[in-house]
Amino acid sequence: MGERKGVNKYYPPDFDYKKHHSLNEYHGTHALRERAKKIKQGILVIRFEMPYNIWCGGCGNHIGMGVRYNAEKSKVGMYYTTPIWKFRMKCHLCDTYFEIQTDPGNCDYVILSGARRKEQRWDPTENEQIVPEDKADQAKMSTDAMFNLEHGVKDKSKSKAAMPVVAQLQEMQEDRWKEDYMSNKLLRKMFRDKKKQIKKLKEKDQALLQKSSLDIELAPENADDVRVAGLLNCRRNAA
């Protein structure tokens, strides 16, 4: 369908390229159709995916991260050379509109109105995660030699403190995978032996069914069943 639309464009007899420039302008439509109905106001309708969990301010329902909405996207400012975008969308459970804006300075999204964020944030230093350097610290390191030297000493002390943990992880990794060929060989041998046992048991059950002229599925052999069957044979012989 898309290919047919792309190559078969009908130009009416009164179409003038110098006057209309394109078929969209001739028909008075935009290339993005309904998505661009407010393009003159600087608003474009896009598909927006919720960046985190929120609570709707109107109905109070929970909206999970990843839920998608048709949002009105508009430019509201600049952070240095990065545009700041605002997204306005309607809750799918009520008539409340909520607005979310990008925050390039903190690499995050900020809720302006209509909802509140579900707090699930934590301090990365408490989880021993890698924390990126602050822009102020980066600027200070480029201008202050003493601060740069102190920062380098702190990084070296952190690396020395983490060396035992890193060495332990490397040792565990080597112990697990240093004999990967032998481990794979052993597992394959166990699999083949088990497969042979299953095949042998199946042949034994099939022979028993043919001997008894039965067409049923036999249950696995149990030690108690063998003992009871032996007692029944003893009673028959005694009788």
Side-chain angles (χ1 to χ4, degrees):
M1 187 70 177
E3 295 177 357
R4 181 163 57 84
K5 286 184 177 180
V7 296
N8 295 336
K9 292 184 177 180
Y10 172 72
Y11 289 87
D14 58 344
F15 176 81
D16 186 4
Y17 177 76
K18 295 181 179 179
K19 178 181 178 181
H20 302 111
H21 302 293
S22 66
L23 287 175
N24 290 323
E25 190 172 348
Y26 173 82
H27 292 292
T29 60
H30 195 274
L32 299 177
R33 306 299 178 186
E34 291 79 8
R35 293 175 54 194
K37 59 184 179 181
K38 297 183 180 179
I39 197 68
K40 294 183 179 180
Q41 305 174 22
I43 298 174
L44 178 66
V45 178
I46 66 165
R47 197 67 174 162
F48 181 80
E49 185 173 332
M50 196 61 61
Y52 41 67
N53 297 320
I54 67 171
W55 300 99
C56 179
C59 58
N61 286 305
H62 175 265
I63 300 174
M65 179 178 64
V67 179
R68 297 181 179 180
Y69 292 94
N70 292 330
E72 296 180 352
K73 174 185 175 183
S74 59
K75 183 179 177 180
V76 294
M78 295 288 293
Y79 176 78
Y80 295 103
T81 58
T82 304
I84 299 177
W85 302 101
K86 184 177 73 173
F87 306 93
R88 185 174 185 267
M89 63 211 81
K90 179 179 176 295
C91 178
H92 66 287
L93 300 172
C94 65
D95 295 332
T96 304
Y97 283 85
F98 39 83
E99 297 180 351
I100 299 178
Q101 181 175 299
T102 59
D103 185 9
N106 298 316
C107 300
D108 202 356
Y109 289 85
V110 179
I111 298 177
L112 300 179
S113 63
R116 58 186 177 89
R117 182 171 183 171
K118 183 180 179 182
E119 292 297 336
Q120 292 179 314
R121 290 174 282 190
W122 62 86
D123 186 4
T125 56
E126 296 179 357
N127 297 336
E128 298 182 358
Q129 295 179 345
I130 298 176
V131 182
E133 296 293 341
D134 188 66
K135 292 185 179 294
D137 292 341
Q138 293 179 0
K140 192 173 181 180
M141 281 192 293
S142 62
T143 56
D144 192 343
M146 290 301 297
F147 181 78
N148 192 9
L149 180 61
E150 292 175 358
H151 193 274
V153 172
K154 290 181 181 178
D155 289 343
K156 289 181 180 179
S157 62
K158 288 181 181 178
S159 63
K160 288 181 180 180
M163 280 301 294
V165 180
V166 175
Q168 185 178 3
L169 292 174
Q170 290 179 348
E171 185 178 353
M172 291 174 59
Q173 190 76 3
E174 290 176 358
D175 291 341
R176 180 176 296 179
W177 297 109
K178 66 180 179 180
E179 296 292 343
D180 53 348
Y181 173 76
M182 294 302 299
S183 300
N184 189 18
K185 183 178 179 181
L186 180 62
L187 289 174
R188 291 175 65 86
K189 183 177 181 302
M190 292 173 59
F191 176 74
R192 287 194 297 268
D193 293 342
K194 187 176 181 180
K195 191 174 181 180
K196 289 180 181 178
Q197 292 178 2
I198 294 174
K199 184 178 179 181
K200 186 176 180 180
L201 181 62
K202 187 180 291 186
E203 291 176 353
K204 182 180 178 181
D205 293 344
Q206 192 67 26
L208 181 60
L209 291 174
Q210 290 179 358
K211 181 179 179 181
S212 304
S213 300
L214 296 175
D215 188 13
I216 59 175
E217 184 177 355
L218 296 179
E221 189 178 88
N222 194 355
D224 294 337
D225 296 338
V226 174
R227 182 175 58 83
V228 173
L231 293 174
L232 291 175
N233 289 332
C234 290
R235 290 181 180 178
R236 289 177 181 176
N237 295 332

